[in-house]
Amino acid sequence: MIIRDIDTDADAAHEMFQSFEGMEGLPSAAPPVRKQLSIETFLRSVYPGVLVAITIGLAADWLSGHYKAPVMLFALLFGMTFHFLHEEGRCIPGIEFASKAVLRTGVALLGARITVEQIRDLGPVPIAMVVAGVTTTVLMGLLLSRLFGLSRSFGVLSGGSVGICGASAALAIASVLPKTKESERDVILAVVVVTGLSTIAMILYPMFVTAIGLDNQRAGLFLGGTIHDVAQVVGAGYTISQKTGDIATYVKLLRVAMLLPVVGTIALVLARSGASGGKAKVPLPWFLFAFAALVAINSLGVLPKPVTDAANDVSRWCLVVAIAALGMKTSFKSLIAAGWRPVVTMVLETAWIAGLVLSVVEFAT
């Protein structure tokens, strides 16, 4: 698990489809042997990128304190100026590690400041909103892919990544789809475009919810229900307030929890139609279970205040560092190079789920 957290999402897609040539009657290359890294080797591989992310996070925190501006936004923008470090070189494993493992740790620790009572106060609306948003966005992806002459697989990939949890959802869904000549390209396109759009949403959506006058609770419902990746939801939510960030994180994790039933449903439909792409390998979202466990423990009142304060501080710094790393991964050049049809498809999916969630927030809460 940790080893995979130092690979890029594009590498993961390439590895997923490495045996494709054999399916076409060509000799398939032997899969590369993934060596078990020693702790020392692992630390040496990740420390340059993690050190850069920490440095950017410290700079962002200093500026945030002096200029009273959101630390997450500073971390993202500063990280984007150092994107060249993610193009090649020794920093790539550390940047990937910070944007994945460090992020998940920070999200899990957020559970130490949320209680079941706070979640219960939100009512059943977030659950119904998430189910409707994910389901209809996947269906919208299928419709738009047909209208724009794209493959049905790309429609499912794009709809799932926009509706659930970004690049992670695209890779999980791809593991059960039939393999075609365009499969790897479709996955990489979905990963590139959804990451770029999610970054844009992280910057624009907090300004949007402030402009239309949403309170902290409704702003959290909107941000958690619309932004694609977990990292950007956290960054956008805590840009507004702690309450908004907490609610946005909870709603987003509801969407992450939809990954397993959605992938399972796709696999079942394909199996019945005889077009199954193989056995699903869906990664269990361990940070989701850790978050839920900490919420349950904190709700019992057994965690002393020094422990919850320490967990909050560690969580905050993990998230700042992860957002800085995410900025370094963001490439708008790759987004433009993807072509207009995949980009327009996913922009319209993004607009669909944003409109649906905003309607729920305005009229059902």
Side-chain angles (χ1 to χ4, degrees):
M1 182 67 69
I2 294 297
I3 294 177
R4 292 190 179 278
D5 282 337
I6 65 177
D7 293 335
T8 66
D9 293 322
D11 286 340
H14 283 305
E15 182 179 342
M16 184 183 298
F17 295 99
Q18 64 188 352
S19 61
F20 172 70
E21 289 84 358
M23 296 169 59
E24 297 300 306
L26 300 175
S28 59
V33 178
R34 184 180 289 274
K35 296 180 179 179
Q36 185 65 41
L37 296 180
S38 66
I39 295 179
E40 181 181 358
T41 303
F42 174 77
L43 292 176
R44 284 185 177 183
S45 68
V46 302
Y47 92 85
V50 172
L51 187 61
V52 173
I54 292 174
T55 303
I56 293 174
L58 289 171
D61 186 65
W62 186 87
L63 285 172
S64 173
H66 279 71
Y67 293 99
K68 306 303 179 183
V71 63
M72 297 294 187
L73 184 58
F74 274 131
L76 177 70
L77 296 177
F78 284 176
M80 290 169 65
T81 64
F82 287 89
H83 171 69
F84 65 91
L85 294 176
H86 192 257
E87 293 289 331
E88 59 181 349
R90 294 185 60 196
C91 289
I92 294 177
I95 293 171
E96 291 291 330
F97 179 78
S99 68
K100 296 177 183 176
V102 174
L103 167 71
R104 293 165 187 158
T105 301
V107 170
L109 290 174
L110 287 174
R113 68 182 183 203
I114 298 174
T115 65
V116 171
E117 183 178 1
Q118 292 172 324
I119 294 175
R120 189 174 60 243
D121 289 342
L122 294 176
V125 171
I127 298 175
M129 181 182 72
V130 164
V131 173
V134 171
T135 303
T136 58
T137 303
V138 173
L139 295 176
M140 180 63 65
L142 286 169
L143 174 62
L144 291 172
S145 64
R146 183 174 182 178
L147 290 176
F148 288 116
L150 300 169
S151 67
R152 294 181 64 186
S153 292
F154 182 80
V156 175
L157 284 170
S158 61
S161 60
V162 169
I164 305 174
C165 56
S168 300
L171 293 171
I173 292 172
S175 68
V176 299
L177 291 177
K179 304 304 181 287
T180 66
K181 293 180 179 180
E182 294 81 21
S183 293
E184 182 177 349
R185 182 205 62 189
D186 286 347
V187 178
I188 295 175
L189 277 177
V191 167
V192 169
V193 177
V194 79
T195 301
L197 292 179
S198 192
T199 303
I200 294 171
M202 175 185 167
I203 298 172
L204 297 182
Y205 282 10
M207 294 187 286
F208 172 70
V209 297
T210 302
I212 64 176
L214 295 184
D215 58 26
N216 288 333
Q217 177 169 318
R218 295 196 297 165
L221 290 172
F222 177 79
L223 297 175
T226 56
I227 300 178
H228 314 14
D229 280 308
V230 176
Q232 287 95 332
V233 169
V234 171
Y238 289 104
T239 293
I240 297 176
S241 71
Q242 178 172 316
K243 181 178 180 180
T244 299
D246 290 346
I247 294 173
T249 300
Y250 161 67
V251 175
K252 181 60 188 180
L253 292 184
L254 286 179
R255 290 169 68 193
V256 174
M258 289 289 291
L259 181 62
L260 295 178
V262 167
V263 173
T265 300
I266 294 171
L268 180 62
V269 170
L270 290 172
R272 288 188 173 183
S273 66
S276 178
K279 294 182 178 179
K281 297 180 179 179
V282 185
L284 290 175
W286 64 265
F287 65 96
L288 175 63
F289 299 114
F291 175 89
L294 282 174
V295 169
I297 294 172
N298 190 38
S299 300
L300 297 174
V302 298
L303 291 178
K305 191 174 186 301
V307 173
T308 58
D309 288 345
N312 290 338
D313 289 339
V314 173
S315 173
R316 177 180 178 274
W317 276 106
C318 284
L319 296 175
V320 171
V321 170
I323 293 295
L326 184 72
M328 287 188 279
K329 288 178 61 175
T330 301
S331 172
F332 291 108
K333 179 181 177 182
S334 299
L335 181 63
I336 295 172
W340 71 269
R341 289 186 299 172
V343 174
V344 171
T345 297
M346 299 184 75
V347 167
L348 292 176
E349 292 166 355
T350 300
W352 167 263
I353 194 171
L356 176 66
V357 171
L358 183 60
S359 298
V360 173
V361 168
E362 288 284 14
F363 300 111
T365 58

